[in-house]
Amino acid sequence: MQSIRTETGIRNTAILLIYCPDKQGILAAVTEFLNENRGNIIYLDQHVDHEEGIFYMRVEWELDKFAIPREKIADYFQTLIAQKFTIKFSLHFSDKRPRMAVFVSKMSHCLFDILSRYTAGDWETDIPVIISNHDTLRPVAQRFGIDFHLIEKNNSNKAVQEQKELEILKQYNIDFVVLARYMQVLSDQFVANYPNGIINIHHSFLPAFAGAKPYHAAHERGVKIIGATSHYVTIDLDAGPIIAQDVVRISHIDNVDSLIRKGRDLEKIVLSEAVYKHLQRKILVYNNRTVVFN
Amino acid sequence: MQSIRTETGIRNTAILLIYCPDKQGILAAVTEFLNENRGNIIYLDQHVDHEEGIFYMRVEWELDKFAIPREKIADYFQTLIAQKFTIKFSLHFSDKRPRMAVFVSKMSHCLFDILSRYTAGDWETDIPVIISNHDTLRPVAQRFGIDFHLIEKNNSNKAVQEQKELEILKQYNIDFVVLARYMQVLSDQFVANYPNGIINIHHSFLPAFAGAKPYHAAHERGVKIIGATSHYVTIDLDAGPIIAQDVVRISHIDNVDSLIRKGRDLEKIVLSEAVYKHLQRKILVYNNRTVVFN
Amino acid sequence: MQSIRTETGIRNTAILLIYCPDKQGILAAVTEFLNENRGNIIYLDQHVDHEEGIFYMRVEWELDKFAIPREKIADYFQTLIAQKFTIKFSLHFSDKRPRMAVFVSKMSHCLFDILSRYTAGDWETDIPVIISNHDTLRPVAQRFGIDFHLIEKNNSNKAVQEQKELEILKQYNIDFVVLARYMQVLSDQFVANYPNGIINIHHSFLPAFAGAKPYHAAHERGVKIIGATSHYVTIDLDAGPIIAQDVVRISHIDNVDSLIRKGRDLEKIVLSEAVYKHLQRKILVYNNRTVVFN
Amino acid sequence: MQSIRTETGIRNTAILLIYCPDKQGILAAVTEFLNENRGNIIYLDQHVDHEEGIFYMRVEWELDKFAIPREKIADYFQTLIAQKFTIKFSLHFSDKRPRMAVFVSKMSHCLFDILSRYTAGDWETDIPVIISNHDTLRPVAQRFGIDFHLIEKNNSNKAVQEQKELEILKQYNIDFVVLARYMQVLSDQFVANYPNGIINIHHSFLPAFAGAKPYHAAHERGVKIIGATSHYVTIDLDAGPIIAQDVVRISHIDNVDSLIRKGRDLEKIVLSEAVYKHLQRKILVYNNRTVVFN
């Protein structure tokens, strides 16, 4: 399906995500480096974790008049700034659209929400492929014109099937994976391929109700608020760095079915918020926690 | 597009929505009427507005063993109960799916949200037709297999074009209309055809920022929270009975573009919540206010 | 300190809290019982848990013209209605003000919030005594004219000291206890004296971060929302029936200190909400869950 | 009443609040100025309003090793930095506690909330005086050991009485005024004495329901959410720069009384949040909007 938004202004900018031990002068050094080379800063946000002594920064600047050619920016920044302050950084360009794969099972609400935003042109991404362990959502993929691969899994074939999935991801040049209510646990080997590159939605307010059937558990416990949590997948189940959370108020009137119904809206909004922040390169991960810039 | 949910339990129930001057004995009279005739009550909620002296009630019961044939329920209830208490009531059957038309302009987010829920089988409704004053969203309608009618309007042809719209609604047997970010004001004549039967989404926290460009106005005023409001359309613009509202926190960092982005999620969720409540026959309107049962 | 509200309308009403196995006719039977005896119903709410098959109800009616004398209501209701439907009920009178004791340690925010509402006359209660394991808040008690008892505890004297506390509660005719950030675990023996009669505030969104130092744990986990939970105390720590919860959004910018600061507002509002509902006799407990009527 | 917190770490820091036309190099220039003079930055946040072309910044640094004596900082900053970038700035020192006056009428909830935080030592401020047009809350002031002045007003004596109020404020060296549900409109002449120095709480979600009786108006309109708004007072009633807002969900069950009850919690929390931000010098005002730093 063609994007229904006819024009999107393509910005020609570079983005630096930085973290390093906090020291005097880092902020001044980075902004000077950009200013001196005629890089007009259009976004700057920084955060100091005084407890851990870590400085975090996201800066975005226009490349049009920038004196350093884009292919040399990383090298120059490393030499002139990063090594002085022991900075770890990643460099991104806004005209490079990350490529995203979506993993689904049978539930459609998160997938529809993703494809709606994608079709409307709200996200600077390409979604060439959907992978599922069920055939249920193939028609949805077809209507949106996206390739759909059925990779069924069971306990005995998991390693083989994950290998197939990884090959598909490679074939489509996928940069990051979104688990849109994908009801399978990925192996550590799979996860290792995409560090901070697999975004999951868990249907509870983590760390409460990790694991299976969180709405049943929430109802059983009698909570008055339920939630949803998007996080990067790590080898510890439901314990990766949290990107976004949201909640909705419930009451004794709700049963498990109505929790599931109300939870769907939370899940899709929270997952899409996490994807948006990831696409904007606004997330830094350190010590299993995220800095999510505004 | 076929529903991707293969089975939905069709309940065989009747629903009474009631209001009348508050008096002793109404609740007992209604529940006795149902009990005596072997109507198993599966939902009952009532509300007394002590200020206005009005009693409101929604009751739903199983028809399987109910002694009164469904076509005679209204008559019996009127004769035996309603006239005694000056009750105004409407009677609905859960196996009668209301038929819904969607009006759109260029923005797709509310339409996608509606069609996602519809396709997933979350709503007991049929959506046979989409009407628009622009051709932009025709491809969306096509992919979901729903008829699309382009009815362009301007100041000089409005009456004629609205007549066409009404004919289409009649032809498709439409019970209620959802304005999914439809950017045209409907005439009083049009509105009169669907009392409490046209649901609009306004992209502000009404009554703040009624009228055009509410996000611009919100930004200009410097509010710290924005909202969205779904309401029944009346002849007073943006002043009909409010069904649902929701808000999201913003800050000085937000500009009009980010308000629009954040507002989209509010709009679609709030509109769909109102449609859901309408489909569930959980809304009563009195004095331009709604009772929305849980 | 005298109440600064000079007049409060004392209502002369009775309140029934009911639960029983769900059957046809309960609601009609109860409302008929009241109507026939000229009890004007001013509040009625009911809930059916279809999963457990339990019917819950709260009904309040005016006693002025009620045919049954107040001291005989319980007996008549038991004989005529309750035994027929296996109803368990409690009967309350709105002119009987429950007497409340507050337990505190060093933090003042919840105590101040309670005393502010009490002094303003917002609550129909009497607070004759504050008990603490520290002397820190004695001046607060004095300024509000409330007796203050210091009962210091350690591991070796706990049983003895709790006995003193129970005697004080008896001496002051206390109906229920509020733990306003009281940093001591009560023994099972103590708790057994006040079933559903001890309200605690836990400074997390339970069941997440039960136990000690929840703000530290929340910060460590990197959650994006923190919460507070009020619940009845049972012998299982932080696992009693939840009455109210609320949350506030946080971000990477927050450290433990700012979580503690933001959490204070949550704690005091959530605890006071629970106390208010308790005073209104709007809470029913079943299966370690609460029904909290509106 | 003595502060019940025995020790508060007094920080020895300076705070600069800055705004100016956005240009390259401002951030670098300011941070260099501080770094070169050995001012250890412990807080830095900045915001660029790209629409208006305005740069905003708050920076806080330790004075212990800072090369420039505190009494000369403003002069040096003006000469070396501010004039180059046409910066408007205000300089504050964290060990200078702003002095606050509270204006009240009859309602106590906001006053109690303020005094609770003050007594607990949560705020770096002094509150030497409370002014009221009613005698109702004098006992509260007395219990907290704060001077109380009754200044009754009517239409004919307003100018004279406001003059008395201004004299009292002068006598107590008051830096800013908090209107804690003070039910009188201040004259333009009065307001002119405290630009961005009078904080009001309005009991609605502004701009909805400005003016008198907002809860009645909200009930009449049938909104599903109510709010409260704190703002700086300007000569336009309820139209000054908004500092903080919060909302709570309501329903058809609520009447005006319950809106007032629920609103009280909103009002006190939102007003205290605004006071806290003001005390932290985290608010900048431009074009009748606020930048409120985190």
Side-chain angles (χ1 to χ4, degrees):
Chain A
M1 191 169 183
Q2 289 296 304
S3 168
I4 54 177
R5 181 181 287 182
T6 47
E7 45 174 0
T8 44
I10 304 294
R11 292 172 309 166
N12 183 26
T13 63
I15 296 156
L16 263 177
L17 285 170
I18 287 172
Y19 68 90
C20 62
D22 188 32
K23 262 187 248 173
Q24 277 202 10
I26 302 167
L27 187 60
V30 174
T31 55
E32 273 178 65
F33 170 76
L34 298 177
N35 287 334
E36 280 170 4
N37 293 293
R38 277 172 288 136
N40 185 39
I41 295 173
I42 60 166
Y43 177 99
L44 185 151
D45 203 359
Q46 48 83 47
H47 168 62
V48 181
D49 182 334
H50 289 284
E51 194 183 306
E52 306 263 2
I54 306 290
F55 174 89
Y56 303 88
M57 183 177 182
R58 184 189 186 274
V59 61
E60 182 170 1
W61 69 98
E62 292 174 338
L63 290 173
D64 295 343
K65 301 177 187 171
F66 196 53
I68 306 171
R70 65 157 63 196
E71 66 277 9
K72 295 189 180 167
I73 296 171
D75 181 39
Y76 278 45
F77 184 76
Q78 173 61 35
T79 306
L80 299 175
I81 308 290
Q83 63 183 12
K84 180 174 170 193
F85 292 99
T86 333
I87 288 172
K88 299 207 175 182
F89 70 94
S90 62
L91 177 68
H92 309 273
F93 296 100
S94 57
D95 58 4
K96 159 80 170 76
R97 293 162 67 91
R99 291 170 69 81
M100 164 176 159
V102 186
F103 280 45
V104 295
S105 291
K106 292 179 173 176
M107 276 169 287
S108 62
H109 55 288
C110 288
L111 179 62
F112 267 126
D113 198 66
I114 288 167
L115 297 180
S116 305
R117 294 168 199 265
Y118 175 52
T119 305
D122 293 345
W123 285 349
E124 298 292 335
T125 187
D126 291 310
I127 308 180
V129 65
I130 295 167
I131 291 175
S132 182
N133 57 332
H134 294 280
D135 221 33
T136 317
L137 299 179
R138 184 186 293 274
V140 176
Q142 287 171 337
R143 304 300 161 112
F144 283 83
I146 296 171
D147 291 358
F148 182 92
H149 292 264
L150 173 65
I151 309 280
E152 290 170 310
K153 287 182 188 172
N154 53 46
N155 287 336
S156 60
N157 71 3
K158 189 169 182 178
V160 176
Q161 297 299 73
E162 282 196 346
Q163 199 51 45
K164 283 191 200 165
E165 290 168 346
L166 286 170
E167 279 158 25
I168 292 169
L169 297 180
K170 198 175 172 189
Q171 167 196 338
Y172 283 93
N173 270 317
I174 294 303
D175 294 301
F176 75 110
V177 173
V178 173
L179 308 182
R181 296 299 314 275
Y182 182 65
M183 306 304 276
Q184 290 272 335
V185 177
L186 299 172
S187 73
D188 297 359
Q189 290 72 33
F190 188 102
V191 170
N193 284 272
Y194 290 91
N196 298 329
I198 306 173
I199 299 173
N200 186 41
I201 181 72
H202 184 75
H203 41 312
S204 85
F205 182 83
L206 287 176
F209 310 125
K213 292 198 174 285
Y215 292 126
H216 290 76
H219 181 65
E220 175 70 22
R221 179 62 187 92
V223 292
K224 300 301 185 187
I225 289 174
I226 56 167
T229 305
S230 60
H231 62 93
Y232 286 124
V233 175
T234 60
I235 57 175
D236 296 316
L237 187 65
D238 298 333
I242 293 172
I243 304 169
Q245 298 188 294
D246 203 359
V247 295
V248 68
R249 206 167 274 281
I250 60 166
S251 79
H252 61 271
I253 295 171
D254 288 287
N255 55 23
V256 172
D257 284 346
S258 70
L259 296 192
I260 290 171
R261 181 181 74 78
K262 292 178 178 181
R264 281 198 293 260
D265 283 353
L266 283 182
E267 294 161 23
K268 72 186 190 189
I269 297 295
V270 170
L271 177 58
S272 287
E273 176 68 11
V275 172
Y276 178 75
K277 289 292 187 181
H278 183 89
L279 287 171
Q280 297 264 81
R281 286 89 167 195
K282 289 201 167 169
I283 311 176
L284 269 165
V285 175
Y286 184 78
N287 260 3
N288 206 46
R289 289 200 292 258
T290 60
V291 169
V292 181
F293 289 111
N294 276 307
Chain B
M1 191 170 184
Q2 288 297 305
S3 168
I4 56 178
R5 181 182 287 181
T6 49
E7 44 174 0
T8 44
I10 305 293
R11 292 174 309 168
N12 183 25
T13 63
I15 297 157
L16 263 176
L17 285 170
I18 287 171
Y19 68 89
C20 61
D22 187 32
K23 263 188 246 172
Q24 276 202 10
I26 303 167
L27 187 59
V30 174
T31 56
E32 273 179 64
F33 170 77
L34 298 177
N35 286 336
E36 281 169 3
N37 294 294
R38 277 171 290 136
N40 186 38
I41 295 173
I42 60 167
Y43 177 99
L44 185 152
D45 204 358
Q46 48 84 47
H47 168 61
V48 181
D49 182 334
H50 289 284
E51 194 183 306
E52 306 263 2
I54 307 290
F55 174 88
Y56 302 88
M57 183 176 180
R58 183 189 186 276
V59 61
E60 183 171 359
W61 70 98
E62 292 174 339
L63 290 174
D64 295 344
K65 302 178 185 169
F66 196 53
I68 307 171
R70 62 157 66 196
E71 65 278 10
K72 294 190 180 167
I73 296 172
D75 182 40
Y76 278 46
F77 185 76
Q78 173 61 36
T79 305
L80 299 175
I81 309 289
Q83 63 182 11
K84 180 174 170 195
F85 291 99
T86 332
I87 288 172
K88 301 208 175 182
F89 70 93
S90 63
L91 177 68
H92 308 273
F93 297 100
S94 57
D95 59 3
K96 159 80 170 76
R97 292 161 68 90
R99 290 171 69 80
M100 162 175 159
V102 185
F103 280 44
V104 295
S105 292
K106 292 178 171 175
M107 276 169 287
S108 62
H109 55 288
C110 287
L111 179 61
F112 268 126
D113 198 66
I114 288 168
L115 297 181
S116 305
R117 295 169 199 264
Y118 175 52
T119 304
D122 294 344
W123 285 350
E124 298 292 336
T125 188
D126 291 311
I127 307 180
V129 64
I130 295 167
I131 291 176
S132 182
N133 58 332
H134 292 280
D135 222 34
T136 316
L137 299 178
R138 184 185 294 273
V140 176
Q142 288 172 337
R143 304 300 160 112
F144 282 83
I146 296 171
D147 291 356
F148 181 92
H149 293 264
L150 173 64
I151 310 280
E152 289 169 311
K153 287 182 189 172
N154 53 46
N155 286 337
S156 60
N157 72 2
K158 189 169 182 176
V160 176
Q161 296 299 74
E162 283 196 344
Q163 201 48 48
K164 282 190 200 165
E165 290 167 347
L166 287 169
E167 280 158 25
I168 292 169
L169 297 181
K170 197 174 173 190
Q171 167 195 338
Y172 283 94
N173 271 317
I174 293 304
D175 294 302
F176 75 110
V177 173
V178 174
L179 308 183
R181 295 302 312 276
Y182 182 64
M183 306 303 276
Q184 290 271 337
V185 177
L186 298 172
S187 73
D188 297 359
Q189 290 72 34
F190 188 102
V191 170
N193 284 273
Y194 290 91
N196 298 330
I198 306 174
I199 299 173
N200 185 40
I201 180 71
H202 184 75
H203 41 311
S204 84
F205 183 81
L206 286 176
F209 311 123
K213 291 195 174 289
Y215 292 126
H216 290 77
H219 181 64
E220 175 69 22
R221 178 63 186 91
V223 293
K224 300 302 187 187
I225 289 173
I226 56 168
T229 305
S230 58
H231 62 93
Y232 285 124
V233 175
T234 60
I235 57 174
D236 296 317
L237 186 65
D238 297 335
I242 292 171
I243 304 168
Q245 298 189 291
D246 204 358
V247 295
V248 68
R249 208 167 272 282
I250 59 166
S251 79
H252 61 271
I253 295 171
D254 288 288
N255 55 24
V256 172
D257 283 347
S258 70
L259 297 192
I260 290 171
R261 182 181 74 79
K262 292 179 177 180
R264 280 197 295 260
D265 283 353
L266 284 181
E267 294 161 24
K268 72 187 190 189
I269 298 296
V270 170
L271 178 58
S272 288
E273 176 67 13
V275 171
Y276 178 76
K277 289 292 187 181
H278 183 89
L279 288 171
Q280 297 265 82
R281 288 89 165 195
K282 290 202 166 168
I283 312 177
L284 269 165
V285 176
Y286 184 78
N287 260 5
N288 205 47
R289 288 200 292 260
T290 60
V291 170
V292 181
F293 290 110
N294 277 308
Chain C
M1 191 169 182
Q2 288 298 304
S3 168
I4 55 177
R5 182 181 286 181
T6 48
E7 45 176 359
T8 44
I10 304 294
R11 293 173 307 165
N12 183 25
T13 64
I15 297 157
L16 263 176
L17 284 170
I18 288 171
Y19 68 90
C20 62
D22 187 31
K23 263 189 247 173
Q24 277 201 11
I26 303 167
L27 188 58
V30 174
T31 56
E32 272 178 65
F33 170 78
L34 298 177
N35 287 335
E36 281 170 2
N37 293 294
R38 276 173 289 136
N40 185 38
I41 295 174
I42 59 166
Y43 177 99
L44 184 151
D45 204 358
Q46 48 84 47
H47 168 62
V48 181
D49 182 334
H50 290 283
E51 194 183 305
E52 305 263 3
I54 306 290
F55 174 89
Y56 303 89
M57 185 176 178
R58 181 188 188 278
V59 61
E60 182 170 0
W61 69 98
E62 292 174 338
L63 290 174
D64 295 344
K65 303 177 185 170
F66 196 53
I68 307 171
R70 62 159 64 199
E71 66 278 10
K72 295 190 180 167
I73 295 172
D75 181 40
Y76 278 45
F77 185 76
Q78 173 61 36
T79 305
L80 299 174
I81 308 289
Q83 65 182 11
K84 180 175 170 195
F85 292 99
T86 334
I87 287 172
K88 300 207 174 181
F89 70 93
S90 62
L91 176 68
H92 308 273
F93 297 100
S94 57
D95 58 4
K96 158 83 168 75
R97 294 161 67 92
R99 291 170 69 79
M100 165 176 157
V102 186
F103 280 46
V104 295
S105 291
K106 293 180 174 177
M107 276 170 289
S108 62
H109 55 289
C110 288
L111 178 62
F112 268 126
D113 198 66
I114 288 167
L115 297 181
S116 304
R117 294 169 199 264
Y118 175 53
T119 305
D122 294 345
W123 285 350
E124 297 293 334
T125 188
D126 291 310
I127 307 180
V129 64
I130 295 167
I131 292 175
S132 182
N133 58 332
H134 293 280
D135 221 33
T136 316
L137 299 179
R138 183 185 293 273
V140 177
Q142 287 171 337
R143 304 301 161 113
F144 282 83
I146 297 171
D147 290 357
F148 182 91
H149 292 264
L150 173 65
I151 310 280
E152 288 170 311
K153 287 182 189 172
N154 53 46
N155 287 336
S156 60
N157 71 3
K158 191 170 180 176
V160 176
Q161 297 299 74
E162 282 195 344
Q163 201 48 47
K164 282 190 201 165
E165 289 167 347
L166 286 169
E167 279 158 24
I168 292 169
L169 297 181
K170 198 174 172 191
Q171 165 195 343
Y172 283 93
N173 269 318
I174 293 303
D175 295 300
F176 74 110
V177 172
V178 174
L179 308 182
R181 297 300 313 277
Y182 182 65
M183 306 305 275
Q184 290 272 335
V185 177
L186 299 172
S187 73
D188 296 359
Q189 290 72 31
F190 188 101
V191 170
N193 284 273
Y194 290 90
N196 298 330
I198 306 173
I199 300 174
N200 185 40
I201 180 71
H202 183 75
H203 42 313
S204 85
F205 183 82
L206 287 175
F209 310 125
K213 291 197 174 287
Y215 292 126
H216 290 77
H219 181 66
E220 175 70 20
R221 179 62 188 91
V223 293
K224 300 301 186 186
I225 289 173
I226 56 167
T229 304
S230 59
H231 62 93
Y232 285 123
V233 175
T234 60
I235 57 175
D236 296 317
L237 186 65
D238 297 334
I242 293 171
I243 304 169
Q245 297 188 292
D246 203 358
V247 295
V248 69
R249 206 168 274 280
I250 60 165
S251 79
H252 61 271
I253 295 172
D254 288 289
N255 54 25
V256 172
D257 284 346
S258 69
L259 298 192
I260 290 170
R261 181 181 75 79
K262 292 178 178 180
R264 280 197 295 258
D265 283 352
L266 284 180
E267 294 160 24
K268 72 186 190 189
I269 298 295
V270 169
L271 178 59
S272 288
E273 176 67 13
V275 172
Y276 178 76
K277 289 291 187 182
H278 183 89
L279 287 171
Q280 297 265 82
R281 287 92 165 193
K282 289 201 166 170
I283 311 176
L284 269 166
V285 175
Y286 185 77
N287 261 4
N288 206 47
R289 289 200 293 260
T290 60
V291 169
V292 181
F293 290 110
N294 276 307
Chain D
M1 192 172 184
Q2 288 298 305
S3 169
I4 55 177
R5 182 181 286 179
T6 48
E7 47 175 357
T8 43
I10 304 294
R11 293 173 308 165
N12 183 26
T13 64
I15 297 157
L16 262 176
L17 284 170
I18 287 172
Y19 69 91
C20 61
D22 188 31
K23 263 188 247 173
Q24 277 201 8
I26 303 167
L27 187 59
V30 174
T31 54
E32 272 178 65
F33 170 77
L34 299 177
N35 287 334
E36 281 170 2
N37 294 294
R38 277 170 291 136
N40 185 38
I41 295 173
I42 60 166
Y43 177 98
L44 185 151
D45 203 358
Q46 47 85 46
H47 168 61
V48 181
D49 182 334
H50 289 284
E51 195 183 303
E52 306 262 3
I54 306 291
F55 174 89
Y56 303 88
M57 185 176 179
R58 182 189 187 276
V59 61
E60 182 171 1
W61 69 97
E62 292 174 339
L63 289 174
D64 295 343
K65 301 177 186 171
F66 195 53
I68 307 172
R70 62 157 66 198
E71 66 278 10
K72 294 190 181 167
I73 296 172
D75 181 40
Y76 278 46
F77 186 75
Q78 173 61 35
T79 305
L80 299 175
I81 309 289
Q83 64 182 10
K84 180 174 169 194
F85 292 100
T86 333
I87 288 172
K88 299 207 175 181
F89 70 92
S90 62
L91 177 68
H92 308 273
F93 296 100
S94 57
D95 58 4
K96 158 82 170 76
R97 293 162 67 92
R99 290 170 69 81
M100 165 176 157
V102 186
F103 280 46
V104 295
S105 292
K106 291 179 173 175
M107 276 170 286
S108 63
H109 55 288
C110 288
L111 179 62
F112 267 127
D113 199 66
I114 287 168
L115 297 181
S116 304
R117 294 168 200 265
Y118 175 53
T119 305
D122 293 344
W123 285 350
E124 297 293 335
T125 189
D126 291 311
I127 307 181
V129 65
I130 294 168
I131 292 175
S132 182
N133 57 332
H134 293 280
D135 221 34
T136 317
L137 299 179
R138 184 186 293 274
V140 176
Q142 286 171 338
R143 303 302 160 111
F144 282 83
I146 296 171
D147 291 357
F148 182 91
H149 293 263
L150 172 65
I151 311 279
E152 288 170 311
K153 286 183 190 172
N154 53 45
N155 286 336
S156 59
N157 72 2
K158 191 169 180 176
V160 176
Q161 297 299 74
E162 282 195 346
Q163 200 49 47
K164 282 190 202 164
E165 290 167 346
L166 286 169
E167 279 158 26
I168 292 168
L169 298 181
K170 198 173 171 191
Q171 168 195 341
Y172 283 94
N173 269 318
I174 294 303
D175 294 302
F176 74 110
V177 172
V178 173
L179 308 182
R181 296 302 311 278
Y182 181 65
M183 305 305 275
Q184 290 272 336
V185 177
L186 299 172
S187 73
D188 297 359
Q189 290 72 33
F190 188 100
V191 170
N193 284 274
Y194 289 91
N196 298 329
I198 306 173
I199 299 174
N200 186 40
I201 180 72
H202 183 76
H203 42 312
S204 84
F205 183 81
L206 287 177
F209 310 124
K213 292 197 174 287
Y215 292 127
H216 290 77
H219 181 64
E220 175 69 20
R221 179 63 188 92
V223 293
K224 299 301 186 188
I225 290 173
I226 55 167
T229 304
S230 59
H231 62 93
Y232 285 124
V233 175
T234 60
I235 57 175
D236 296 317
L237 187 65
D238 296 335
I242 293 171
I243 303 169
Q245 298 188 292
D246 204 357
V247 295
V248 69
R249 207 167 274 281
I250 60 166
S251 80
H252 61 271
I253 296 171
D254 289 288
N255 54 25
V256 173
D257 283 347
S258 69
L259 296 193
I260 290 171
R261 181 181 74 79
K262 292 178 178 182
R264 280 197 294 260
D265 282 353
L266 283 181
E267 295 160 25
K268 73 187 190 188
I269 298 295
V270 169
L271 177 58
S272 287
E273 176 67 12
V275 171
Y276 179 75
K277 288 293 187 181
H278 183 89
L279 287 171
Q280 296 265 80
R281 287 92 166 193
K282 288 200 167 170
I283 311 176
L284 268 166
V285 176
Y286 184 78
N287 261 3
N288 206 46
R289 289 200 292 260
T290 60
V291 169
V292 181
F293 290 110
N294 275 308

